């Protein structure tokens, strides 16, 4: 009888743990030291932001450890814990050639928590090109269940808002490099609990091939990420629009 009870309790705990884990982004803080749980992709683009040739991961992304960004300095590569992801790279700084690359990481999860947090920081070389050939990135969180967008930013090196903008001139490349401090996002997801959410981050070199852009990502989860070291960061709170959307859904269901 005791063995039966213990077996039942063990099964309950396993199911509970699995459900809890499934409600979280797998390896959301990259603390496994690799991209476990994430799908990498990418390829080449030759101008026209939003127009990309997917040929597979170009191998330009990496897991990074704490320390100042090697090109612009000033920002820590990791926001929370021991690791973060860097999507795409700064090849033009080292070789003088960005190479038309773009890189992506993505992950989907059935989300069952009332909030979601994450942090990002961008580094984009400013070559002075026309807008559709500038280094850029976009970061989106979509609700696949309802085909709606919960969070979306798209910045080229010529369109980063002044409130986020920092600029460093790098003599080695002869260009300004623009970067943001860590941006910490808090989304109220109480209205979309149980839906399938997908996070996608894309970072791209310039469309003429000579200049680079990359983005750091860290701390995806249901609790606020704690900075590893004191960092200037902007904290965003989103919720009204999502909550209103959820109320509408509930009304329609009734």
């Amino acid at each position: 009888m005791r063995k039966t009870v213990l077996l039942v309790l063990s099964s309950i705990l396993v199911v509970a743990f699995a459900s809890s884990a499934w409600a979280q982004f797998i390896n959301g803080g990259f603390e496994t030291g690799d991209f476990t749980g994430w799908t990498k992709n990418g390829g080449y683009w030759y101008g026209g932001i939003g127009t990309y040739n997917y040929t597979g991961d170009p191998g330009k992304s990496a897991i990074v450890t704490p320390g100042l960004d090697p090109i612009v300095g000033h920002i820590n590569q990791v926001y929370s814990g021991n690791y973060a992801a860097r999507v795409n790279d700064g090849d033009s700084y080292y070789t003088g050639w960005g190479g038309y690359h773009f890189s992506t990481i993505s992950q989907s999860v059935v989300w069952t928590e009332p909030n979601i947090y994450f942090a990002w920081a961008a580094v984009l070389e400013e070559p002075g090109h026309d807008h559709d050939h500038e280094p850029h990135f976009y970061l989106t969180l979509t609700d696949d269940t309802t085909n709606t967008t919960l969070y979306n930013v798209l910045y080229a090196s010529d369109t980063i808002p002044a409130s986020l903008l920092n600029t460093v001139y790098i003599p080695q490349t002869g260009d300004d490099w623009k970067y943001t401090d860590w941006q910490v996002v808090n989304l109220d997801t109480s209205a979309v609990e149980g839906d399938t959410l997908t996070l996608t981050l894309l970072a791209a070199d310039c469309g003429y091939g000579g200049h680079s852009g990359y983005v750091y990502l860290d701390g995806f989860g249901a609790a606020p990420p704690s900075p590893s070291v004191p960092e200037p960061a902007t904290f965003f709170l989103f919720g009204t629009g999502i909550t209103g959307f959820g109320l509408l859904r509930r009304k329609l269901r009734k």
Side-chain angles (χ1 to χ4, degrees):
M1 179 68 178
R2 174 186 284 182
K3 290 182 178 180
T4 301
V5 171
L6 289 175
L7 182 61
V8 170
L9 289 174
S10 298
S11 299
I12 292 173
L13 288 173
V14 168
V15 171
F17 176 79
S19 298
S20 175
W22 178 234
Q24 299 281 345
F25 275 86
I26 298 170
N27 193 27
F30 305 95
E31 291 302 300
T32 62
D34 56 25
F35 284 98
T36 295
W38 297 87
T39 298
K40 294 193 292 179
N41 204 345
Y44 299 88
W45 80 297
Y46 305 99
I49 292 176
T51 303
Y52 308 104
N53 301 295
Y54 281 89
T55 59
D57 175 29
K60 300 296 181 179
S61 301
I63 301 299
V64 295
T65 55
L68 293 180
D69 178 85
I71 297 177
V72 302
H74 303 290
I75 56 171
N76 199 313
Q77 296 182 117
V78 172
Y79 183 77
S80 181
N82 297 309
Y83 300 98
R86 188 201 68 232
V87 179
N88 220 38
D89 64 11
D91 267 3
S92 62
Y93 175 80
Y94 302 100
T95 67
W97 181 248
Y100 303 102
H101 299 110
F102 75 93
S103 304
T104 70
I105 62 171
S106 62
Q107 185 175 158
S108 298
V109 64
V110 176
W111 189 251
T112 61
E113 301 291 342
N115 291 85
I116 187 169
Y117 297 83
F118 53 92
W120 60 266
V123 179
L124 304 173
E125 190 173 3
E126 175 49 80
H129 296 328
D130 58 285
H131 173 70
D132 268 344
H133 288 83
E134 291 276 88
H136 65 280
F137 78 96
Y138 71 72
L139 175 61
T140 62
L141 182 68
T142 59
D143 184 331
D144 300 339
T145 303
T146 59
N147 195 30
T148 56
T149 300
L150 307 183
Y151 180 81
N152 180 49
V153 292
L154 168 57
Y155 294 141
S157 53
D158 64 338
T159 60
I160 297 177
S163 60
L164 306 182
L165 183 62
N166 300 282
T167 303
V168 176
Y169 176 72
I170 305 295
Q172 181 166 332
T173 64
D175 289 310
D176 288 335
W177 286 68
K178 297 181 177 180
Y179 70 93
T180 71
D181 295 320
W182 280 98
Q183 311 300 305
V184 183
V185 179
N186 171 14
L187 295 175
D188 179 351
T189 52
S190 58
V192 296
E193 290 181 45
D195 289 357
T196 299
L197 308 185
T198 296
L199 178 283
T200 302
L201 172 58
L202 177 149
D205 300 330
C206 84
Y208 294 121
H211 306 87
S212 297
Y214 55 94
V215 180
Y216 296 109
L217 184 66
D218 203 3
F220 262 88
S226 299
S228 302
V229 297
E231 281 281 353
T234 302
F235 194 91
F236 291 109
L237 175 63
F238 294 86
T240 304
I242 298 175
T243 302
F245 173 72
L247 291 174
L248 177 60
R249 284 178 58 200
R250 289 169 185 165
K251 185 176 181 181
L252 291 174
R253 285 174 179 171
K254 288 181 181 178

